[in-house]
């Protein structure tokens, strides 16, 4: 009887670990924190991909996922089509590589493929990735809009405005790129007077230069010069006053779409 009890307890513990890895036992934000980069991936059987599922048609919902193992993105849902980019599991910041999911379909090979926005230049790149190379879908109903003309960021939840604040953006020499992107990480290990108490990595890339670690990744972070905001003052990143950034961090989860216009 005691042996059976110990076996049940061990199985329950293994199940909990699997759920945490799949993003079902923890919030997406916690799953993408800097500490997550130190975790070792579980063996493939711990993350089972189920049957193809229809993507939600909810007006304010968007889906994202992470790269489960290194793969190649293709022009069409076929391994025989030209390759667009190689996708790594981890980002330069040590978090999981995040993709925004647009749609899915079954390819000629009988496998499910996902069309996704890529965190790569040129900005706006879209390609097809095998579904079994990706993790579970996550859903968000938030959307961050950065208006470069008005120098203002606005966060919407289910279409309703829940946050707005002035921002600093890139100068003419190092512009903040326009397009459709996503928040791919929330980090605290870069906390400093220059970056502020928290920073967000996005899937946007600067084709010129950026002050974000990793080279070319556009971030959203604080500043030690709040008197410069609003303004065109950065190397491409989006800067906020620290108090505004902390307020945003309580409202915006990882995976949130980001429109820079």
């Amino acid at each position: 009887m005691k042996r059976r009890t110990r076996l049940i307890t061990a199985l329950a513990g293994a199940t909990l670990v699997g759920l945490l890895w799949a993003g079902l036992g923890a919030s997406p934000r916690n799953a993408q924190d800097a500490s997550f980069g130190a975790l070792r991936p579980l063996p493939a059987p711990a993350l089972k991909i189920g049957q193809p599922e229809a993507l939600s048609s909810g007006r304010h919902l968007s889906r994202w996922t992470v790269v489960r193992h290194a793969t190649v993105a293709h022009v069409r849902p076929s391994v025989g089509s030209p390759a667009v980019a190689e996708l790594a599991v981890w980002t330069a910041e040590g978090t999981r590589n995040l993709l925004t999911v647009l749609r899915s379909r079954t390819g000629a090979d009988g496998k499910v493929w996902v069309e996704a926005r890529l965190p790569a230049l040129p900005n706006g790149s879209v390609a097809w990735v095998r579904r079994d190379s990706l993790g579970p879908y996550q859903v968000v109903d938030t959307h961050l809009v950065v208006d470069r003309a008005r120098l203002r960021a606005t966060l919407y939840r289910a279409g309703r405005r829940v946050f707005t604040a002035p921002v600093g953006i890139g100068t003419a020499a190092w512009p903040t790129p326009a397009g459709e992107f996503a928040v791919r990480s929330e980090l605290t290990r870069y906390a400093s007077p220059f970056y502020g108490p928290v920073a967000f990595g996005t899937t946007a890339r600067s084709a010129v230069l950026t002050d974000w670690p990793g080279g070319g990744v556009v971030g959203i972070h604080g500043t030690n010069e709040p008197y410069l905001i609003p303004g065109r003052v950065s190397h491409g990143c989006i800067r906020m006053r620290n108090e505004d950034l902390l307020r945003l961090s309580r409202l915006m989860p990882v995976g949130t779409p980001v429109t820079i216009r």
Side-chain angles (χ1 to χ4, degrees):
M1 188 62 158
K2 290 183 179 179
R3 181 178 180 183
R4 182 180 179 185
T5 301
R6 287 196 298 271
L7 177 60
I8 293 174
T9 302
L11 290 174
T15 300
L16 177 58
V17 170
L19 290 176
L20 288 171
W21 176 252
L24 301 176
S27 69
R29 176 173 303 170
N30 290 337
Q32 291 291 326
D33 190 51
S35 60
F36 189 73
L39 297 181
R40 301 177 69 119
L42 293 178
L47 186 59
K48 183 178 180 181
I49 303 299
Q51 294 298 314
E53 57 180 296
L55 300 185
S56 173
S57 60
R59 180 181 176 187
H60 302 294
L61 296 180
S62 63
R63 294 201 177 203
W64 60 274
T65 186
V66 296
V67 178
R68 186 162 66 96
H69 57 76
T71 188
V72 176
H74 292 266
V75 171
R76 293 181 295 278
S78 167
V79 292
S81 66
V84 176
E86 295 182 357
L87 301 178
V89 174
W90 304 99
T91 69
E93 298 84 41
T95 60
R96 295 304 295 265
N97 197 2
L98 181 146
L99 304 175
T100 298
V101 175
L102 301 178
R103 58 175 173 154
S104 64
R105 60 173 290 186
T106 302
D109 57 2
K111 303 294 184 179
V112 177
W113 290 73
V114 173
E115 188 180 37
R117 287 199 179 96
L118 305 182
L121 289 172
N123 285 311
S125 296
V126 173
W128 292 88
V129 185
R130 278 273 297 268
R131 178 69 183 94
D132 55 12
S133 297
L134 306 174
Y137 290 145
Q138 306 283 354
V139 180
V140 294
D141 65 352
T142 46
H143 186 186
L144 183 69
V145 177
V146 178
D147 189 325
R148 296 180 300 172
R150 297 178 58 234
L151 298 174
R152 180 161 290 272
T154 304
L155 181 71
Y156 298 89
R157 178 182 292 129
R160 184 173 63 90
R161 187 176 71 181
V162 294
F163 168 91
T164 187
V167 296
I169 62 170
T171 65
W174 301 290
T176 300
E180 299 296 327
F181 310 104
V183 175
R184 73 174 186 176
S185 59
E186 181 180 348
L187 305 168
T188 56
R189 62 175 161 165
Y190 293 114
S192 67
F194 182 81
Y195 286 116
V198 65
F200 293 96
T202 78
T203 57
R205 297 278 178 152
S206 171
V208 184
L209 179 67
T210 181
D211 55 0
W212 184 252
V217 178
V218 175
I220 303 172
H221 61 78
T223 180
N224 58 349
E225 299 176 306
Y227 50 86
L228 296 179
I229 295 176
R232 292 171 173 80
V233 296
S234 78
H235 287 168
C237 287
I238 298 162
R239 297 184 188 179
M240 289 186 181
R241 295 169 182 148
N242 291 345
E243 59 268 27
D244 291 331
L245 185 65
L246 285 172
R247 191 157 54 97
L248 179 64
S249 71
R250 293 191 289 267
L251 299 170
M252 184 174 70
V254 165
T256 295
V258 178
T259 298
I260 302 177
R261 63 190 186 196

